[in-house]
Amino acid sequence: MAEADGAEDSKPRSDEAHSAFTPPPGTGPEVPDDDQPTSEFVRPPGAEPAQPEPEGSAFAAPATYSAAHSPPAYTPGQGFPVAQMKESPWQDRMRTMLRMPVDVRPVPDLVQRPSEAGPAVGRVLDLTLRIGELLLSGGEGSEDVEAAMFAVARSYGLDRCEPTVTFTMLSITHQPSLVDHPVSASRTVRRRGTDYTRLAAVFRLVADISSPETDISLEEAYRRLAEIRRNRHPYPTWVLTAAAGLLAGAASTLVGGGVLVFFAAALGAVLGDRLAWLCAGRGLPEFYQFVAAAMPPAAFGVALKLAEIENIKASAVITGGLFALLPGRALVAAVQDGLTGFYITAAARLLEVMYLFIGIIMGVLVVLYLGLQLGASPKPEEVLQITQRPLVQIAASMVLVFTFAILLQQERSTVWIVTLNGGVAWVTFGALHYAGGIPPVPSTCIAAGLVGLFGQLFSRYRFASALPYVTAAIGPLLPGSATYYGLLLIAEDRLNEGLGSLVNAAAIALAIAIGVNLGSETSRLFMRIPGAASAVKGRAAAKRTRGY
């Protein structure tokens, strides 16, 4: 009997098993259970009224009340079957629990066993923040960053944790019990960089920490995190510069350029990339780096126009350079955060996209204005006259995606998958827009939806982030032609038409971002979370708030 009682006492208890005002073990004198009321809302013995409560009293039951016909409680009697959800990826499990109120979340399973003294709260919170910092600085969406932080904290036994993510600030709060003071920690994201190889390594670390089959102590987790930080990028600098040139050349071929245009666009993009690296080394902000990177491709396009070479589409050189600069990754992350409810982070990301876009506009407009003063006579209409060459354009789109994936520092095993995904996206867009005559905005949205769908399925198959399978694949869909057409009209003092074209380019960019997010959410229809349907009726994040 003594052994049975000791085993029973060692079981973790949930909030419903004891009073909210009971001090946690070790913080005060133990009070026998007989002296505790069954609930914090029940009067202690001797406090019952001597006579029945008068009608209208706050403690009197309503006249129509019947316990047999009372509405069901929010928490089902059998509890939330989170144990049945262990078969699903950790992202789905953590999102499901993050959308629950704190008071109804299940007690965490000790996936990683703490020491005899209990979990080291300070070190667990610090590890959680460091992992979240790497994910956020790598471009991951805020919801996935919160899910990763929540998974790490719960795996090391910290209950009642609330992670919070904004554009530059990460914080997490842990409340040991309902009577203890909360413990909070925060971390600021100072630098941002694009390295999807590092992002994938962090996802593998979180997956191992969340897996009950893998034993990772805090020291081992810190060691692996330090290795991830110290690892060099998978591609050297010269490979990245060559990839930027090939990307611009492939984009110029995509919009109707020939061999000479290909090499001119590639050389302009290489010079722009080197100039941007020089500005970065001098400490200039990213806005000026984009201004500098946009000038060389525009200068090569103007030079070809001044040379007046026949059958040369000089506008394709500038368009190809724009494809290499448009911030599609940041735009997709901004719209994703907005659609998932992180409005502050979404607004900050959209503001970042706007500044980068204005930097590109300024760099191109300066060169176009100088070209007009030197006598270049561009024809804006030829920008939108794209010759249909299906096989050449499909090959160019796949080269564009391939080089874009290298620029994003992706793992070599994912480069080929995302290249195929981008090829499917361009074929879909071409079939809808060129063959079917559908306007570019809905065609782009549908093609981007396929990118998001396949990218999410690939990521779930490999238990990794979806960004490496999505970001590069949207490269061929970026509105390079519409952007250059608007800039050219503005340079010719046709302001209204130019602004209209830029608005069209913005609409296409938003269609890409919304399509990717919609495709990702659609993929959840094909992936059933075990036990989630009976645990929560519908997704709490999908409820309409009607503005309040």
Side-chain angles (χ1 to χ4, degrees):
M1 288 296 292
E3 295 179 357
D5 293 339
E8 186 175 358
D9 292 338
S10 64
K11 294 181 180 179
R13 294 188 177 185
S14 63
D15 292 343
E16 292 80 5
H18 57 78
S19 169
F21 300 98
T22 302
T27 60
E30 296 187 0
V31 182
D33 292 339
D34 296 338
D35 294 344
Q36 291 291 330
T38 57
S39 168
E40 56 267 32
F41 300 105
V42 176
R43 296 186 183 90
E48 289 82 359
Q51 56 185 0
E53 297 288 348
E55 187 176 356
S57 171
F59 299 97
T64 57
Y65 176 79
S66 172
H69 300 90
S70 61
Y74 179 80
T75 306
Q78 71 276 12
F80 291 100
V82 179
Q84 302 177 17
M85 298 170 57
K86 293 181 179 179
E87 304 172 8
S88 60
W90 62 266
Q91 297 99 313
D92 290 333
R93 302 198 309 268
M94 296 304 112
R95 284 196 193 98
T96 301
M97 283 187 281
L98 275 174
R99 289 165 181 167
M100 296 178 185
V102 179
D103 56 339
V104 299
R105 288 175 187 165
V107 177
D109 296 327
L110 295 179
V111 177
Q112 305 298 333
R113 299 295 175 183
S115 61
E116 295 181 357
V121 176
R123 298 193 66 195
V124 172
L125 295 183
D126 179 69
L127 176 67
T128 302
L129 289 173
R130 291 177 182 272
I131 289 177
E133 179 192 9
L134 282 180
L135 293 176
L136 187 62
S137 63
E140 191 62 73
S142 299
E143 186 180 32
D144 289 327
V145 175
E146 280 198 358
M149 295 172 64
F150 195 66
V152 173
R154 289 182 65 87
S155 297
Y156 285 106
L158 296 189
D159 195 6
R160 301 189 190 91
C161 282
E162 279 297 321
T164 304
V165 176
T166 57
F167 186 58
T168 58
M169 178 68 73
L170 297 167
S171 63
I172 185 169
T173 301
H174 165 62
Q175 189 171 8
S177 70
L178 295 180
V179 296
D180 282 338
H181 296 294
V183 181
S184 300
S186 62
R187 194 173 183 88
T188 302
V189 178
R190 300 292 183 184
R191 298 182 59 186
R192 298 179 182 273
T194 303
D195 188 344
Y196 283 177
T197 299
R198 178 180 295 174
L199 191 70
V202 177
F203 259 76
R204 284 193 292 269
L205 174 60
V206 177
D208 291 341
I209 292 176
S210 306
S211 174
E213 289 80 16
T214 307
D215 185 15
I216 298 182
S217 63
L218 276 174
E219 289 73 16
E220 175 68 15
Y222 267 107
R223 185 190 64 80
R224 288 181 57 177
L225 192 63
E227 289 181 354
I228 293 172
R229 285 181 174 274
R230 287 195 301 264
N231 280 349
R232 297 178 61 87
H233 298 306
Y235 307 104
T237 304
W238 68 269
V239 172
L240 299 179
T241 302
L246 287 176
L247 191 156
S252 66
T253 304
L254 194 66
V255 295
V259 178
L260 181 60
V261 169
F262 176 91
F263 284 105
L267 183 58
V270 168
L271 293 178
D273 181 76
R274 289 292 85 198
L275 191 57
W277 275 98
L278 179 63
C279 295
R282 296 296 185 272
L284 290 179
E286 198 172 13
F287 174 83
Y288 299 106
Q289 298 174 29
F290 272 77
V291 173
M295 286 183 173
F300 274 84
V302 170
L304 286 180
K305 196 64 181 179
L306 290 173
E308 296 183 354
I309 304 176
E310 295 184 0
N311 300 325
I312 292 296
K313 192 175 182 181
S315 61
V317 177
I318 305 177
T319 303
L322 290 176
F323 270 90
L325 295 176
L326 292 177
R329 174 182 60 88
L331 180 65
V332 170
V335 175
Q336 179 183 357
D337 284 344
L339 294 177
T340 52
F342 294 85
Y343 300 115
I344 297 177
T345 307
R349 289 186 191 270
L350 286 176
L351 189 62
E352 178 190 32
V353 171
M354 185 188 73
Y355 272 108
L356 299 181
F357 194 69
I358 293 176
I360 297 171
I361 291 175
M362 289 182 60
V364 175
L365 275 181
V366 169
V367 177
L368 288 180
Y369 181 77
L370 292 177
L372 290 175
Q373 300 305 312
L374 293 175
S377 55
K379 299 177 180 179
E381 290 73 19
E382 77 173 6
V383 178
L384 303 179
Q385 296 173 359
I386 300 177
T387 305
Q388 298 183 25
R389 301 173 294 175
L391 296 180
V392 175
Q393 288 177 316
I394 292 174
S397 67
M398 297 183 71
V399 172
L400 190 156
V401 175
F402 179 82
T403 52
F404 199 180
I406 293 177
L407 286 176
L408 294 174
Q409 305 277 5
Q410 291 192 198
E411 292 180 305
R412 290 176 174 85
S413 60
T414 64
V415 169
W416 301 106
I417 298 176
V418 71
T419 300
L420 293 176
N421 198 12
V424 171
W426 177 256
V427 169
T428 303
F429 172 79
L432 294 174
H433 180 55
Y434 295 119
I438 300 176
V441 173
S443 301
T444 302
C445 186
I446 295 174
L450 290 179
V451 169
L453 174 63
F454 293 142
Q456 192 67 232
L457 293 177
F458 280 132
S459 69
R460 295 310 175 89
Y461 176 73
R462 299 171 66 99
F463 296 95
S465 171
L467 286 181
Y469 303 95
V470 169
T471 306
I474 65 174
L477 304 176
L478 293 174
S481 298
T483 302
Y484 174 59
Y485 181 67
L487 296 180
L488 195 55
L489 292 175
I490 292 176
E492 292 185 340
D493 203 17
R494 298 160 63 179
L495 187 60
N496 291 334
E497 298 178 49
L499 291 178
S501 181
L502 291 181
V503 169
N504 182 43
I508 294 175
L510 288 176
I512 294 174
I514 294 174
V516 168
N517 185 268
L518 184 61
S520 300
E521 294 297 325
T522 303
S523 66
R524 302 180 193 276
L525 299 176
F526 305 99
M527 296 182 295
R528 184 177 63 86
I529 303 176
S534 59
V536 182
K537 299 298 183 182
R539 295 173 58 193
K543 290 183 178 179
R544 293 177 296 172
T545 61
R546 300 184 186 274
Y548 52 81

